[in-house]
Amino acid sequence: MASFSNSIGEISWICLNNFDFTSLCFQRTLIDTINILFLSLYFTSLLITFITKTSSNQSHTKCWIFLITSICCAIVSIVFSTVGLWNIISESEQLKWLTCFIRGITWLSFSVSLSQRVKWIRILNSIWWLFSCVLVSSLNIEILFQNHAIGTFDIVQWLVHFLLLYCAFKNIGFLGTHSVQQGLSEPLLDQKFKTKQTGLGHATFLSKLVFSWMNSLLILGYSKPLDLDEIPSLVSEDEANMAYQKFVHAWKSLVRERARNNTKSLVLWSIVRTYLGENILIAFYGLIRTVSVAVSPLILYAFVKYSNRTEPDLRQGLSIVGFLIVTKLFESLSQRHWFFNSRRSGLKMRSALMVAVYQKQLKLSNSARTRHSAGEIVNYISVDAYRMGEFPWWFHMTWTSALQLVLSIGVLYSVVDIGALPGLVPLLICGLLNVPFAKILQNCQSQFMIAQDKRLRSTSEILNSMKIIKLQSWEEKFKNLLQSLRDKEFVWLSKAQILKASSSFLYWMSPTVISAVVLIGCVVTQSAPLNAETIFTVLVTLKTMGAPVKMVPEALSIMIQVKVSFDRLNNFLLDEELINDDSERKFKECSVNAVEIQDGKFVWDLETVFPTLADVNLEIKWRHKIAVCGPVGAGKSSLLYAILGEIHKISGTINVGGTFAYVSQSSWIQSGTVQDNILFGKPMDKTRYEKAIKACALDKDINDFSHGDLTEIGQRGINLSGGQKQRIQLARAVYNDADIYLLDDPFSAVDAHTAAILFNDCVMTALREKTVILVTHQVEFLSEVDTILVMERGKVIQSGSYESLLTAGTAFEILVSAHKDTITELNQDNEHKRGFETEVLSNPQNSQGFYLTKNQSEGEISCIKGPIGAQLTQEEEKVIGNVGWKPFWDYVNYSEGTFMLCFILLAQSGFMAFQTASTFWLAIAIEIPKVTNATLIGVYTLVSFASAAFVYARSYLTALLGLKASTTFFSKFTTAMFNAPMLFFDSTPVGRILTRASSDLSILDFDIPYSITIVASLALEILVIICIMVSVTWQVLIVAVPAMVASIYIQQYYQATARELIRINGTTKAPVMNFASETSVGVVTVRAFNMVDRFFKNYLTLVDTDASLFFHSNAAMEWVVLRIEALQNLTVVTASLLIILLPHGYVSPGLVGLSLSYAFTLTSTQIFWSRWFSNLSNNIISIERIKQFIHIPVEPPAIVDNNRPPSLWPSKGKIDLQDLEIRYRPNAPLVLKGITCTFKEGSRVGVVGRTGSGKSTLISALFRLVEPSRGDILIDGLNICSMGLKDLRMKLSIIPQEPTLFKGSIRTNLDPLGLYSDDDIWKAIEKCQLKEPISKLPSLLDSSVSDEGGNWSLGQRQLFCLGRVLLKRNKILVLDEATASIDSATDAILQRVIREEFEECTVITVAHRVPTVIDSDMVMVLSYGKLMEYDEPSKLMDTNSSFSKLVAEYWSSRRKNSFPNISRQQQ
């Protein structure tokens, strides 16, 4: 330190004793005096600004030179402060330490003044920097002239002064302004309309320093439970759009700079480029905090040394206290701003990457989508991008921990000299031991995440397919599947938790071993005496090293995980995008053709050998109606994708003109209202809106909905019937008013009458001026269109008008012949009714009968909706206010862990007792001359080792408690899900359930057990610390008790707001994931309607809402920690001051060291307790949320032991409905109204009626998806409501309306329970027309089925469902619109197969196609839940019945459309 003497000089009054104006000492004093004057002016200006609340004149974004200069000034300040402390410790005779402190404060003020934004203060600062630079330059030049040399530190200060001079000119404006990126920030200011902006946006410097800008939100949160709309919005620089724009700018420049084959870590380097500047400032905060912590042992050393002096100097003692205050102030403020700003930076990274992933999925090509499923894309957002929120914090924690280790070793060496060297050996060993622990732990966590991903993927699939699982009674199978996946996950969870217990033992044991070795080293080398100064400085230094030793490996583990996430995101963001060549795909609208394809060859996957579509040549004229038909898997949908540009074009040209509207084969409905789905972002035009609704036969449905067109639709339209979803899709397209309409089999989910209305009123009338390309299996409409395209095996094999294709024969003739056969059969059945048909045809208004008007439509949803005023999908429930300790006790009681928790507390008490005893022994034994060094160290080591054993027991029991609780909660949650009634899944979005199964369960797995133990342990530790301080200086109670009471009050004050912020945040994350998932499923529709920008803006809003909660939660945490820290620092300073002020000898040096070694940890312990208590309070909310779903109503039991049916039941298949009434909820309207009839054994019963008339509800009642509110259902004389659900459902077979496949193989989809041989499966496959496509696959029955069967067409999925029932061969078979998505020819074959295979079974057929039910033994006609007719078809045809009118209408439309052309062909 002597090397600094020339740079420091003496204090002013020493120089004034020998006054010499030319002396260097006087000139240095003059510079110090001028700086003190400017310093006074600066702080006075700040005080005036604070009192008058002057805001900055303009928004300034400082350029990087200001940041660099500020950091340099701070480093110089730290150097001066450290030298000053050393001068105090070394008892320098001169008052050089005071000079150092003055200059340290001056340089610190320079650093702070560089961030000033008020104009007149900036000018004052510039003058100060200018004067200082000129004076220091003059002094240094004189030193050079006199000595011909200058000190290194003087050169460093001189260079920093030149930087200050540059900043002064920059401030005044001589070198231009330093505000940047105004273009990016200004437009965003206009977007602040929804809520007030966060207080940070207009906070003063002091307000930012102490986080008082959070006061208004905390006051509001304490006065009442917060609502989402009361949470302030983010400042523009923190918003997702700004973050994304900056990220994309860096990304694009990097992509341009790098070669195609050098794309590694592009995401990482884009993040680095974007956020390097702000992270340099965070690093500066981290540096100050690290140095402040590292010097604390030196302060303790100074205190103990002071107490050991024979003649204490009060001024020196007060100086040590003053330095303690400054150090604690720096440590506290720097750490708070490090933590806050690192998470704020992480928030921006997280938002940028979330938005980048979402934007990418909007551009992703279909072949790339096969590599990234919807679930994986959501995972990129919810796991990988979300992980970035903590990335900067962990990054800075890594290097600051390493630096703290180095500095602590330096402090140790400065105190005990060479005696510290032996301690490095166990330190190195403990550090190296942490590395394999960290690697194994990281491997366990990685494997856990992989296993968790698999479980969540299966959970999502199961939840989306819960209806078919319940219908087939597969709950046990899929519950066991989830349990087996959880068991694999649990193996890694158990290993990780037990490993953490072992690492905690190592963590607490290592300071004991190292301290013992260091003390032995001091004895052996005699480098330092074993007195109070040495021992307690060593102990405190090792305590400061404990956290970094543990943290570095953990931080490196997190960094590895972050690297994996970066790589995953990098691969996704670099994946293939759709090629939108607008110049090629657009041409003038005056052209004759709307769509032109020449020699087109298209393929889904570029690696496929055979093209999906080949030799496509099309010319579609404006306003023409084009029909595309062909067998299942012919490539009809692929042709529409080719026109939309969603499929790879290998060769040829494609030109399209105008805008698109697209209706997908599988309905895509957004969560929201009916109106939102129809408008689809377009402004409301009432006239056009009403026309669209009427054209799509939705007006009656909307009138019946409980909230009209404002009725909420559940996720994926779960509370709508298939026909309603399809017609809402169609209405969306009609309202969009596009030029070209692409309709992919829109009539498959509606009955024949509704299909005729939609074709005539929608396609032919409402869209008469539009170009329409219609994919359809309904042959009867083909005669009305301008051109028909017949497809087979990816080629257009025929095209032309209806008449020309009939004349040509071949493929088209096969389709028409299949249709003709059904018409002929219908004609023969009704030959004797020809007179009646003529009457019907001549008086069409009389043929309405059952179908009174074409506006009649579906009413089922209004019944599902329940009482008027209640939407089906309710806003997510959240507990409000303080729930106390009930969730905590629920956690303990559920896991039966009361005794275990008691043992944990006992182990912690034992640990604290032994820890305290070991340090008390050192404090007392060093005062006893008879105690040898060997005894001193030996006893200390033994007692400390005993404490480490207790801490291992505590950690191990904590792990066991957590594992037991995890097992119990998962089991109860899964059981509750599989036992929940179907209504629960209809009214609960899948995202809400998945959030509980993922993030909430993860918190329960990892966070809650350790939070409970740490909160209890730290509370006990705080009590012990205060007791030790009181035992040495009881007077500290005067401050400690009020400080503790105030801390508890502040904690509770904060907790009221924090609790609600976390709860609201629990409801804002799911919509982000749901929206991303929803977009992923419907991305083709979004792109077709050119709605990408609207969806992108909506997503930005959702991300910002979620981010605002994260931001304010972190700010609130730093607010409370800063205040509690200040209170506890007050206690520590009081204890230190008492030790200085108490009479000499009142307290022995040993007890001084003991008291202060514990006192110095009081603040950090209290802060840890506050953080962990806050985390526990927040995490407890996850228990609340899981419990909500554990306690939902359950459906009846699977098996009723005292009422099980015979094993061969039902032997006949007779079904009796007796006065059956169904309502979906109590007090809801009846859906089925007193139905009484009998389905005879072995009969074929057809159920007809409008979509929504109660057909599907009748099926739900038969399977007891909904329980009868009155009446009975008897099968073979047994009341099905008295038996178990499994006994019932296993004996019934169904092909549902919406075909469902699961990810896996063909075999597992046909035979999930593994009951049948391969021969049986192949026979079933052959009968359901799937043998040809499956036999071509290389893996045959083991060939893969992707998520939701996405690699099979809708018709093929329906055939898989048929294959399942062919295998089961139950006595009762239900076909619920089973052949809606297949062509007429395949339908005819399947009907024949069903007739042959189920000849002796009772077959109930719900169908839209009249030929499907015309050959039934009995026909049931339903209307608005009432049984209108039930009789043999022939008898119903003999009367003026609703059924006969339906048949006549169906037959007349077919005859009109088909028979003239058929007969013409036969001539």
Side-chain angles (χ1 to χ4, degrees), residues 873-937:
T873 305
Q874 299 291 335
E875 188 174 333
E876 184 167 2
E877 178 187 353
K878 65 180 179 72
V879 180
I880 294 174
N882 186 6
V883 293
W885 291 95
K886 189 177 182 305
F888 163 74
W889 288 118
D890 285 338
Y891 176 83
V892 175
N893 291 333
Y894 269 45
S895 55
E896 299 176 350
T898 309
F899 284 108
M900 209 176 288
L901 183 63
C902 293
F903 281 123
I904 288 169
L905 294 175
L906 279 173
Q908 176 63 20
S909 302
F911 166 68
M912 287 305 302
F914 279 97
Q915 279 276 301
T916 308
S918 66
T919 48
F920 253 110
W921 161 255
L922 289 174
I924 295 167
I926 56 174
E927 306 294 334
I928 305 171
K930 291 181 181 179
V931 176
T932 63
N933 288 335
T935 306
L936 180 78
I937 298 168

Side-chain angles (χ1 to χ4, degrees), residues 1021-1023 1025-1026 1029 1040 1044 1128-1129 1131-1132 1157-1167:
E1021 190 173 338
I1022 290 167
L1023 189 63
I1025 290 170
I1026 291 175
M1029 291 167 66
M1044 190 58 66
Q1128 296 308 321
N1129 279 335
T1131 305
V1132 174
S1157 66
Y1158 275 92
F1160 282 9
T1161 62
L1162 175 64
T1163 304
S1164 60
T1165 306
Q1166 178 71 46
I1167 293 312

